[in-house]
Amino acid sequence: MSTFSSPAVIPAQVFAGRRSAICEALEGGVMVLPAAPVRFRSRDTEYRYRPDSELYYACGAIEPGTVAVISGGAEPSFVLFVRERDPDAELWAGPRLGPEAAGELFGADAAFPIGDLARRLPALLHAGDRVHYRLGREGELPRLVQAALEEARVRGHRKGSGPRAVVDPGEILDPLRLHKDEFELERVRQACAVTVAGQRAGIAAVAPGVGEWVIEAEVEAEFRRAGAAGSGFETIAASGPNGCVLHYVDNSRIVRDGDLVLVDAGAEFGLYNGDVTRTVPASGSFTPEQRAVYEVVEAARVSAIAAVKPDVPVSDVHEAAVSTIVDGLLGLGLLTQDVQDARSPSVYREFFPHQTTHWLGLDVHDPGDYARAGSPRALQPGMVLTVEPGVYLRVGSKVPAAFQGMGIRIEDDIVVTEDGHENLTGSLPTSIEDVEHLVSEGG
Ligand code: GLY
Ligand code: MN
Ligand code: MN
């Protein structure tokens, strides 16, 4: 892959279509979407900027200091506030669009300098009957929204109009974001392809005596080489007992002969994410105990992916993984209860303590309810989810010594299609023979 993943390449009609859907769902409401804050590490050194997913989804804007105000109702509108041009600031941090160019690029009905927000926000909010805004945002905006709401409320007493409720924007955006359009699916495909390439590079580095950090470095170097912005989350390169720490990110241990190495990594490409895990034997071959547990997790991955199809409750995916893992661990004598007891979360969670799936997209853990009012959500074409069963046999747990310190997770990224599913990361092998081959052949 040779292109860089700039999210700034904007098919205007895609965002216009999304905004129509948002405006329709808003009915008489007004949505206020701010940019993500600029983040610092160690005093005054900036992290690379990561745009806010909701703002980008709604209109494509990726500059800090932006606020979008989207109104539904009889006269839907999209008003943008952005930073003004500033040659001094642009010298340090790069070019800004400024209101005029931003308004044109993003198809806004009006665009103003961000400094005008305090003055203009009350009237914009007053035009709606609800404000869709996330409480607890950072910076100046909470104060401005609160003041604007207060002003709108006072004005509203005279006319009987104005906003009367604050609603989380996710109520509208999350269900829309669950269904990926073609443009999004293409980005997810690219993110998955880069993620697979990074995983191959990381696995190629696995060997006894290698630092976990070297595996991380190989994964992330390949991400960047392939044009990704970097990792969507901290890479997990966990050898031996570290594989049992679900979000292990220190990557500071030296791999030992006989270890399993769990690599969980994902590239962010054009703001969309991949998220893939493979677990490989450091020496190039599994011990009999590792092989036995790996086969259970691999069978769970296969059965959970097989459950992914339209109209199936998303909870079926987890249940498929649970029943395969419970049966497998009973078969190995690692669970000793009767089968009904072993299927109870309070029992199997000792060895399989996380969910099997999460939504994937602009965010690694993409938003969207998995259930509502007690009913699980049904899968529909265009939804993208991970399938990631795992078994973790911690040191000190009640399993024979040869099984202790073993963490095995296998994770793929799956899109629901009209007649089933497609595994977007299935080109990265999972079978025992292929995985052993990957390590001994160096990727
Ligand atoms: N890497 C985080 C996850 O798999 O959910
Ligand atoms: Mn993962
Ligand atoms: Mn995941």
Side-chain angles (χ1 to χ4, degrees), residues 83-139:
R83 300 173 308 180
E84 286 194 273
R85 302 291 312 267
D86 177 341
D88 279 346
E90 291 180 44
L91 171 68
W92 290 93
R96 300 175 173 189
L97 285 167
E100 200 175 322
E104 195 169 324
L105 182 62
F106 300 118
D109 298 303
F112 303 105
I114 188 69
D116 288 3
L117 185 67
R119 187 161 57 82
R120 293 188 177 272
L121 197 56
L124 287 166
L125 296 193
H126 189 80
D129 57 11
R130 271 163 299 144
V131 177
H132 296 250
Y133 166 74
R134 175 135 330 121
L135 298 174
R137 301 293 301 233
E138 293 169 54

Side-chain angles (χ1 to χ4, degrees), residues 275 358 365 386 388 411:
D275 181 9
H358 57 80
H365 296 161
T386 66
E388 50 181 304
E411 177 175 24

Side-chain angles (χ1 to χ4, degrees), residues 50 53 177-178 180 184 187-188 191 232 267-275 358-367 384-386:
R50 205 305 181 159
S53 296
R177 286 176 59 187
L178 265 179
K180 270 66 182 175
E184 296 187 284
R187 289 271 167 100
V188 172
E268 182 187 283
F269 194 93
L271 294 182
Y272 285 80
N273 293 280
D275 181 9
H358 57 80
W359 311 121
L360 181 71
L362 276 169
D363 293 311
V364 177
H365 296 161
D366 223 30
V384 179
L385 64 161
T386 66

